[in-house]
Amino acid sequence: GENVEQHPSTLSVQEGDSAVIKCTYSDSASNYFPWYKQELGKRPQLIIDIRSNVGEKKDQRIAVTLNKTAKHFSLHITETQPEDSAVYFCAALLNDYKLSFGAGTTVTVRA
Amino acid sequence: DVKVTQSSRYLVKRTGEKVFLECVQDMDHENMFWYRQDPGLGLRLIYFSYDVKMKEKGDIPEGYSVSREKKERFSLILESASTNQTSMYLCASSLYRNNNSPLHFGNGTRLTVT
């Protein structure tokens, strides 16, 4: 099956700075890479996704990049705000159904 | 807005008990999933279903079974609960059968097995 590794496991940034989370996957056939945000005590929610035919996607302060050759993808959050504090999960889809998740990154934005 | 409802927020059961976790979605989604979430391990797929009465094993199906008798309902069953099944259980659904549609999660059931 797909194996997704996510780094770092924790990330502390000053408000206004950028945050970057990186993930690698093992199966080159994976074709869909979503990112989920889970605030404390709440359910994970999709914040952005990217498909294998695209190299970069941006939505306001968040962006995702994909390098298919190296099999890694990254989440970039610019101008971080306190409400960005959460656990972020990357994931990779293999064979249409099985979404494999990374272990998660706990992001803390310091005021 | 899609609503995925899990029947219990917190559950405490004894070792050896049979445990049912229920999940209902109200948006006619084809796919339904059960994940468990543990610190440092992320979300791991237990079972999923892409149609009524259909089920597929995920990455960690041992000790679990599932039932999908109706499209909107997906049940996770622990035949004989063990302490290593203490975890947060998340149900999710997605719209399309053969497409990359977003997962919609329930609020989770925190199960403690003593």
Side-chain angles (χ1 to χ4, degrees), chain A residues 14 24 26 30 37 39 41 46 48 63-64 84 89-91 106 108 111:
Chain A
Q14 190 69 37
T24 60
S26 58
S30 292
K37 175 185 180 182
E39 297 177 11
L46 179 74
I48 195 168
V64 59
D84 294 329
F89 294 98
C90 63
T106 301
T108 303

Side-chain angles (χ1 to χ4, degrees), chain B residues 94-114:
Chain B
S94 66
L95 179 60
Y96 299 118
R97 180 172 177 174
N98 292 314
N99 205 339
N100 311 329
S101 54
L103 289 180
H104 297 267
F105 285 92
N107 279 325
T109 296
R110 185 165 293 282
L111 173 67
T112 301
V113 182
T114 61

Side-chain angles (χ1 to χ4, degrees), chain B:
Chain B
D1 195 23
V2 177
K3 193 165 185 181
V4 180
T5 304
Q6 294 183 232
S7 54
S8 303
R9 190 84 164 113
Y10 299 95
L11 212 52
V12 180
K13 295 292 182 181
R14 292 190 181 273
T15 301
E17 278 193 80
K18 191 169 185 176
V19 181
F20 293 86
L21 303 184
E22 306 287 347
C23 175
V24 176
Q25 49 95 2
D26 66 356
M27 287 300 291
D28 203 35
H29 282 183
E30 295 194 0
N31 301 327
M32 295 190 75
F33 307 82
W34 275 105
Y35 286 88
R36 64 177 281 177
Q37 182 176 10
D38 300 288
L41 296 177
L43 285 77
R44 292 180 292 166
L45 182 63
I46 305 171
Y47 267 97
F48 64 98
S49 167
Y50 52 84
D51 203 352
V52 175
K53 296 193 185 294
M54 302 298 290
K55 60 183 180 183
E56 294 282 344
K57 291 180 180 180
D59 298 317
I60 52 165
E62 297 79 18
Y64 304 93
S65 62
V66 291
S67 171
R68 194 166 182 201
E69 296 296 317
K70 294 184 178 181
K71 190 174 186 179
E72 66 270 19
R73 185 180 296 270
F74 193 36
S75 303
L76 180 70
I77 303 154
L78 287 66
E79 295 290 341
S80 177
S82 63
T83 54
N84 62 13
Q85 293 178 309
T86 291
S87 186
M88 170 67 84
Y89 290 87
L90 288 166
C91 175
S93 69
S94 66
L95 179 60
Y96 299 118
R97 180 172 177 174
N98 292 314
N99 205 339
N100 311 329
S101 54
L103 289 180
H104 297 267
F105 285 92
N107 279 325
T109 296
R110 185 165 293 282
L111 173 67
T112 301
V113 182
T114 61

Side-chain angles (χ1 to χ4, degrees), chain A:
Chain A
E2 177 61 278
N3 182 39
V4 179
E5 294 193 0
Q6 183 171 348
H7 299 280
S9 57
T10 61
L11 182 59
S12 180
V13 296
Q14 190 69 37
E15 183 177 356
D17 288 350
S18 296
V20 181
I21 304 169
K22 297 182 180 181
C23 290
T24 60
Y25 59 98
S26 58
D27 197 318
S28 57
S30 292
N31 57 12
Y32 173 65
F33 307 91
W35 287 86
Y36 286 81
K37 175 185 180 182
Q38 186 177 30
E39 297 177 11
L40 190 63
K42 296 190 176 180
R43 70 187 76 190
Q45 292 193 300
L46 179 74
I47 54 171
I48 195 168
D49 56 13
I50 191 167
R51 287 167 171 76
S52 57
N53 58 347
V54 175
E56 185 174 355
K57 184 176 179 181
K58 190 173 181 180
D59 183 5
Q60 300 182 346
R61 294 187 298 107
I62 60 173
V64 59
T65 58
L66 171 64
N67 183 327
K68 285 190 296 181
T69 303
K71 291 188 283 188
H72 67 71
F73 56 113
S74 301
L75 178 73
H76 304 253
I77 308 172
T78 58
E79 300 173 21
T80 53
Q81 299 170 6
E83 54 264 36
D84 294 329
S85 294
V87 180
Y88 292 81
F89 294 98
C90 63
L93 181 69
L94 182 64
N95 297 332
D96 284 340
Y97 299 116
K98 287 187 63 176
L99 197 62
S100 295
F101 285 84
T105 297
T106 301
V107 174
T108 303
V109 179
R110 307 186 306 271

